[in-house]
Amino acid sequence: MPAPTTAHAPLDRATAWLRRRLGRAVLLAYAGALILPGPGLWLRRTHALPLGPLPQLPLSTAPFLLSLVLFSAGLQVPVRELGRVLRHPGALLVGLALHLAIPLAVIPVVAFLLHRSPDTDGGSGLVTAMILIVAMPVAAGATVWTGKGDGDQPTMVGLVLASTLLCPLTAPTLIALLSPLLSGGYADSLAASGHTAGGGFALAGVVLPCAAGILLRLALPTAWLERGLRTVVPAALAGSLVLTYVNASGALGSFLARPRPLLLGAALVVAALVCLLSFVLGRCAARLLRLDPPAASSLTLACGMNNSSASAVLISTALPDKPHLLLPVLAYGLLQKTAAHRVVLRRPA
């Protein structure tokens, strides 16, 4: 039907234009949070949504935007392409095992290095943030990078789905296993966030929105699905940028109120170290297993890319008194995209 296509063409072109410039848009969101954090700080608070004669409904912007992004990701999942992966699940199982095992190898190394630093708490704050990052599922954006690099898309989709659906079990388990690395009150704070991750957050904030998108994709007729995607995808893309701005406002707003240049530098270094080690171990595992280039690319991305937006929302929800923990999360979110770009540009021999 040419008429609907023509009607939606400007929106489709705008969405494609923004996708190509998403990296710059994210940097602009960070700059906006640095220059004008006020609106972002206001959005971080819970607001009452008036419903006429009914009681007011509390609405938290960050969890709502995260749900929108994950719902959109689920709506775009090519579920029927997963048949091949389920018939030959080797790469999927290896990728999932590595996604869970690499944090247990990387975080103790980072904690050991930070314990030898002059920081009074032995870097426990930074380690806490890193644990909450690596405990999250594979980022849905990894599927985009897989497509750009001609990777094994069905395997990557399977890894995103499997890690997301298992998040209510794997996140609190990883948090519990890595908590002994912390000192001071951070161990208690991480335990509290672990209870939150294992409770309503992982299920209601991560699994259900993604599952709702998948089920709706299966239920809708093709024509309705295409119309829905033309509305939901641009909205989720804009929502992800607003979510980035809101999270960055929380981190940079507290930083501007109480500047701590050493903390910022340490956050960048630690995030870079965890990101680098995760990608390198993923690449080494792919070579050791002698995977073909598409599967190797997908496995590497799955090992290094975590849902940093979910980490930021979890920190804001479970640890609202520690906004400085968002600094390494924001740094990791940028660095993993840079590393993913390098992975998809490199063509294995």
Side-chain angles (χ1 to χ4, degrees), residues 169-196:
L169 297 175
T170 58
T173 300
L174 282 173
I175 289 173
L177 290 173
L178 295 171
S179 291
L181 298 172
L182 304 176
S183 60
Y186 282 103
D188 295 333
S189 297
L190 190 61
S193 65
H195 290 309
T196 302

Side-chain angles (χ1 to χ4, degrees), residues 37 56 64 88-90 111 125 140 148 168 191 196 245 286 297 302 306 315 318 331 344-345:
Q56 292 185 333
F64 170 76
H88 304 282
K148 289 183 178 181
T196 302
Y245 167 71
S297 175
N306 295 282
I315 290 173
V344 301
L345 283 182

Side-chain angles (χ1 to χ4, degrees), residues 17 44 89 149 160 179 208 262 277 283 348:
W17 180 86
R44 276 171 55 84
V160 171
S179 291
L208 289 183
L262 288 178
L277 288 175
R283 171 68 71 178

Side-chain angles (χ1 to χ4, degrees), residues 11 51 62 116 134 255 314 318:
L11 184 58
L51 296 176
R116 302 176 69 86
V134 298
F255 177 78
L314 177 58

